[in-house]
Amino acid sequence: MTSPVPAFWSPRIGALEPYVPGEQPRIANLVKLNTNENPYQPSPLAIDAIQQAAANGLERYPDPTSLALREAVARRHGLKVEQVFAGNGSDEVLAHAFFAFFQQAEPLLMPDVSYSFYKVYAQLYGIACELQPVDDGLRIDIEAMAARARGGCAGIVIANPNAPTGIGLPLSRIEQLLAACPDRVVLVDEAYVDFGGESALPLIDKYPNLLVVQTLSKSRSLAGLRVGFACGQQHLIDALVRVKDSFNSYPLDRLATVGAAAALKDEVWFKTTRDKIVDTREGLSLQLEDLGFEVLPSQANFVFARHPQRDAAELAALLRERAVLVRHFKQPRIAQYLRISIGTREQCSVLVQRLQEILTETP
Ligand SMILES: *Cc1c(COP(=O)(O)O)cnc(C)c1O
């Protein structure tokens, strides 16, 4: 970056390339399939808990340890509460983990196609990254990554299922990475795991270098509440707590703590809404294929698809003119793909209709 740094800025601020979230425009009757939000409401138990907490007053600070939430996570996943850390969205949890574990002499390893926020955190904290190319099917090359890790690294970060491809890895592949990188943390970001992925949480007692991060934004419909958590052996959690308590003692407010804890206890609501999304995803994938798209196999609440004859950026713009938002990433290797979040069945059928119109009416 050669642009001059404005007065008052710390020297490194001008060089940052911040993450750009998907847009949240105010358009009437918008079909919003661009940020992987859940189209269904959160559990009514969560709403009740939030309303009750608000009625009980907000004049006191919340519990700085978010114990009620961490207990709910521990109970749901068969962990000890000391193995759970909670934060203001998993993005914050990820940032703390980067700060706590990856500031090392060697570079941090990550796939070249992955959640684009990882590179932003690395830049913020001055962590060098080494991007491992995914294969031609956009699959993470575990053999290559494990081999590279054995040569020494600051750690590994992957999303499983991966973003924005939706492709999941079996646990045996995660174990391969954990074994290849025993002296550094392997961070597995499971933002989408509930939609069909295989969670690494059962491996925590076996691997002292495993940190698993999850969010309530996607499968629990609580993107607006901002709650995420990390699970790992206590020595990793202790490091995250040290970072958190050097940054913000109260990242989770009273409403978020109780709302998230209640949502984690509503297994019926969770399964019902999750199953609808998985079912809609499978139907949408087939419909997109009928329209000529190539659709990657998804284990997430979105699909990643390209049309061999049509430019992806142009398709996204034409959809936007028709009040349908999908996400397009202007990035090498994936510039011809669209990432389409799974909405309700009605929203997805509007998308398919609009795509049909575009493909037949525009050159
Ligand atoms: C959505 C997402 C997150 C962020 O989740 P929040 O808890 O809403 O901050 C993290 N990682 C990946 C891969 C995601 O897609």
Side-chain angles (χ1 to χ4, degrees):
M1 281 233 156
T2 51
S3 56
V5 176
F8 306 119
W9 287 18
S10 299
R12 289 176 47 220
I13 302 306
L16 294 177
E17 296 165 67
Y19 180 76
V20 182
E23 58 175 333
Q24 304 278 5
R26 294 191 191 166
I27 299 175
N29 301 318
L30 181 68
V31 174
K32 192 173 176 305
L33 306 176
N34 68 328
T35 50
N36 295 344
E37 290 145 327
N38 198 307
Y40 301 107
Q41 303 263 306
S43 158
L45 300 184
I47 306 301
D48 285 350
I50 290 167
Q51 280 171 341
Q52 209 172 352
N56 285 343
L58 295 172
E59 64 277 16
R60 304 276 183 211
Y61 282 111
D63 167 17
T65 72
S66 305
L67 183 62
L69 168 60
R70 289 165 51 238
E71 281 174 345
V73 172
R75 204 169 311 129
R76 170 112 202 313
H77 294 294
L79 299 166
K80 297 193 202 72
V81 72
E82 297 79 22
Q83 295 175 315
V84 182
F85 174 84
N88 190 258
S90 62
D91 284 337
E92 185 186 76
V93 176
L94 290 166
H96 287 345
F98 273 59
F99 193 85
F101 305 119
F102 298 146
Q103 301 189 86
Q104 311 281 356
E106 309 92 342
L108 172 66
L109 309 183
M110 64 180 80
D112 63 341
V113 173
S114 194
Y115 185 37
S116 44
F117 225 139
Y118 302 148
K119 276 189 268 184
V120 179
Y121 300 130
Q123 203 181 42
L124 180 62
Y125 296 130
I127 298 163
C129 296
E130 205 172 294
L131 303 180
Q132 301 290 305
V134 295
D135 70 16
D136 290 340
L138 303 187
R139 290 176 178 277
I140 298 173
D141 186 342
I142 294 291
E143 306 291 344
M145 200 174 241
R148 175 61 192 81
R150 276 184 224 105
C153 63
I156 298 174
V157 57
I158 59 166
N160 187 38
N162 198 13
T165 64
I167 298 172
L169 288 169
L171 267 196
S172 56
R173 303 302 256 166
I174 303 292
E175 285 204 80
Q176 233 175 308
L177 291 181
L178 288 161
C181 189
D183 301 325
R184 297 286 189 229
V185 167
V186 176
L187 195 168
V188 184
D189 179 355
E190 297 187 337
Y192 301 106
V193 77
D194 289 329
F195 300 103
E198 213 180 329
S199 177
L201 287 174
L203 299 179
I204 279 174
D205 286 330
K206 186 168 167 196
Y207 292 97
N209 57 334
L210 170 62
L211 190 74
V212 177
V213 174
Q214 292 193 3
T215 176
L216 279 81
S217 295
K218 278 73 186 232
S219 62
R220 301 280 175 171
S221 307
L222 288 172
L225 205 60
R226 310 304 301 127
V227 181
F229 58 88
C231 303
Q233 290 187 13
Q234 194 179 344
H235 61 106
L236 300 183
I237 301 306
D238 288 347
L240 293 173
V241 171
R242 289 173 75 90
V243 176
K244 174 216 145 219
D245 286 334
S246 305
F247 183 79
N248 178 2
S249 306
Y250 308 106
L252 285 165
D253 60 57
R254 287 177 176 272
L255 309 183
T257 305
V258 298
L264 284 165
K265 290 170 191 158
D266 196 342
E267 209 58 34
V268 173
W269 189 271
F270 165 70
K271 290 215 169 89
T272 310
T273 51
R274 189 264 318 269
D275 291 351
K276 276 201 259 192
I277 289 169
V278 170
D279 190 57
T280 307
R281 176 186 76 205
E282 298 309 302
L284 176 63
S285 300
L286 295 176
Q287 288 177 300
L288 289 172
E289 283 172 359
D290 285 345
L291 292 175
F293 283 88
E294 293 166 18
V295 186
L296 295 186
S298 171
Q299 291 176 278
N301 68 337
F302 58 85
V303 292
F304 206 48
R306 70 173 164 189
H307 196 287
Q309 281 95 40
R310 302 295 298 247
D311 181 65
E314 192 187 20
L315 283 180
L318 290 167
L319 280 169
R320 197 178 189 286
E321 286 171 14
R322 290 157 176 81
V324 178
L325 284 191
V326 300
R327 190 89 198 256
H328 172 255
F329 297 95
K330 229 197 268 171
Q331 281 170 27
R333 303 198 71 181
I334 56 170
Q336 284 312 324
Y337 283 85
L338 295 176
R339 192 195 67 188
I340 305 168
S341 309
I342 304 302
T344 61
R345 280 183 200 115
E346 294 72 26
Q347 290 173 325
C348 288
S349 70
V350 172
L351 164 82
V352 170
Q353 282 166 30
R354 298 293 169 266
L355 277 173
Q356 216 155 15
E357 291 163 17
I358 290 167
L359 293 172
T360 52
E361 290 167 16
T362 64

